[in-house]
Amino acid sequence: MRTALTDALTQLPDALQRVVSDWITDTNFGATFSPEQVAKMEVESGLSGAALRLTLLPIAAAYAVTPISTFNVGAIVRGEDGTLYLGANIEFTGVQLGQTIHAEQCAISHAWTKGATRLTDITINYSPCGHCRQFMNELNGAESLTVQLPKMVPKLLHAYLPDSFGPADLGVESRLLTDEPHQLLTDDIDIPLLKAAADAANLSHAPYSGNYSGAAVETNDGAFFSGMYAENAAFNPSLPPLQVALIATNMAGYRWEEIRSVALVEMANSTVSHLADTQATLDAIDPDIPLVYSTLSA
């Protein structure tokens, strides 16, 4: 268990600590709380809804990886079924700052990799930057997404992003979290890690470039974590597939030094490519991590 999580537990009210400590210290804890766990926390702590989520933010922020800023941001998104997904900001030394993952992106992508298709609200310990407001505007249900901050009344996302620019402005109907499989030809891939990356590419959100792409991380104990490319109408807030795979890895409790290998799959002859940035980020994490690369055709 991470020391940061132990420290975060001490920031919770005693009644809530007693409820969550066994869950969080379990080696299989996946940085999520089921609807049943949420209900138990509400009963035992006397906190409900937004009050509970705000109180849990230190647990989310404990997953931050911030070697540059040392400024930890936590975020919690709630799925339609009531599941809570945690997220935190992640930074990488040795590469340009654009490779950084914001806490909101982390929580949203965490929910996406675990099958969520619509989020009702997001709770954050600091006001979301413009980058994250634009990223959230790509979501299925963005128009009804509620943003909750400490000591603030809840507001809809579009109160923070008035006169927004989004997919509809570019004639795009698909939304992040709800893309249908792209029917990519992946059945003949016989390398398991590469197949995991290809399967992620098949679920990616890339309506602007068409570069359906995915990444997969293998850890030293043989676990696989996949990530799908999350493209954005404003282009720059797009989240590369490696970052989404690293989010899944981090939120499962693994550290970068436990990564054995990585795979990247993207479309052949695309107008954009993740290869150079993926390799640069991996080199910054550990130049000895091998990258398996392949392209797909529609």
Side-chain angles (χ1 to χ4, degrees):
M1 180 177 174
R2 299 184 182 193
T3 301
L5 272 175
T6 305
D7 294 342
L9 268 174
T10 65
Q11 299 178 49
L12 303 185
D14 290 345
L16 193 54
Q17 282 189 50
R18 289 193 293 270
V19 177
V20 305
S21 59
D22 286 345
W23 301 336
I24 290 175
T25 55
D26 190 315
T27 56
N28 294 317
F29 180 63
T32 63
F33 294 108
S34 69
E36 294 75 20
Q37 289 175 320
V38 171
K40 184 171 183 179
M41 286 189 285
E42 290 181 334
V43 169
E44 297 295 328
S45 70
L47 300 167
S48 62
L52 175 63
R53 295 191 294 276
L54 286 165
T55 305
L56 288 171
L57 279 173
I59 302 299
Y63 285 89
V65 182
T66 54
I68 300 171
S69 70
T70 67
F71 185 79
N72 295 351
V73 182
I76 301 173
V77 294
R78 181 171 61 164
E80 273 192 313
D81 67 351
T83 299
L84 302 183
Y85 304 90
L86 310 186
N89 54 325
I90 300 173
E91 302 166 355
F92 306 96
T93 56
V95 292
Q96 51 96 11
L97 291 176
Q99 299 304 306
T100 298
I101 301 166
H102 295 228
E104 295 90 332
Q105 293 177 307
C106 182
I108 290 166
S109 298
H110 181 202
W112 187 26
T113 58
K114 289 187 173 173
T117 57
R118 191 181 183 96
L119 306 174
T120 61
D121 49 68
I122 181 167
T123 306
I124 322 157
N125 57 354
Y126 295 99
S127 183
C129 69
H131 182 96
C132 288
R133 298 177 195 196
Q134 182 65 47
F135 184 82
M136 290 187 282
N137 196 43
E138 194 77 18
L139 286 171
N140 176 39
E143 66 284 348
S144 59
L145 183 71
T146 298
V147 178
Q148 179 69 62
L149 300 170
K151 301 179 182 179
M152 296 278 288
V153 297
K155 297 180 182 178
L156 292 177
L157 169 64
H158 287 162
Y160 288 94
L161 191 68
D163 303 318
S164 64
F165 177 85
D169 295 290
L170 295 176
V172 169
E173 295 182 358
S174 64
R175 295 293 185 271
L176 183 61
L177 271 66
T178 59
D179 293 81
E180 296 294 324
H182 305 302
Q183 309 303 318
L184 304 179
L185 303 177
T186 66
D187 290 341
D188 60 345
I189 299 175
D190 56 6
I191 300 174
L193 187 64
L194 204 59
K195 180 65 163 60
D199 289 341
N202 203 33
L203 297 173
S204 61
H205 177 74
Y208 310 106
S209 71
N211 188 22
Y212 306 121
S213 46
V217 169
E218 181 182 12
T219 58
N220 289 332
D221 61 1
F224 281 18
F225 298 97
S226 300
M228 306 81 83
Y229 178 33
E231 214 163 58
N232 190 273
F235 286 18
N236 284 357
S238 301
L239 196 61
L242 173 64
Q243 269 74 348
V244 179
L246 290 174
I247 287 168
T249 306
N250 181 62
M251 302 314 293
Y254 288 86
R255 300 182 183 277
W256 303 152
E257 54 264 32
E258 296 177 86
I259 295 175
R260 175 188 294 166
S261 57
V262 171
L264 171 68
V265 170
E266 61 183 351
M267 300 302 293
N269 304 315
S270 175
T271 55
V272 300
S273 175
H274 301 291
L275 180 57
D277 286 336
T278 298
Q279 187 65 69
T281 302
L282 284 181
D283 285 346
I285 292 173
D286 181 349
D288 292 329
I289 297 175
L291 174 64
V292 183
Y293 176 72
S294 184
T295 58
L296 292 171
S297 299

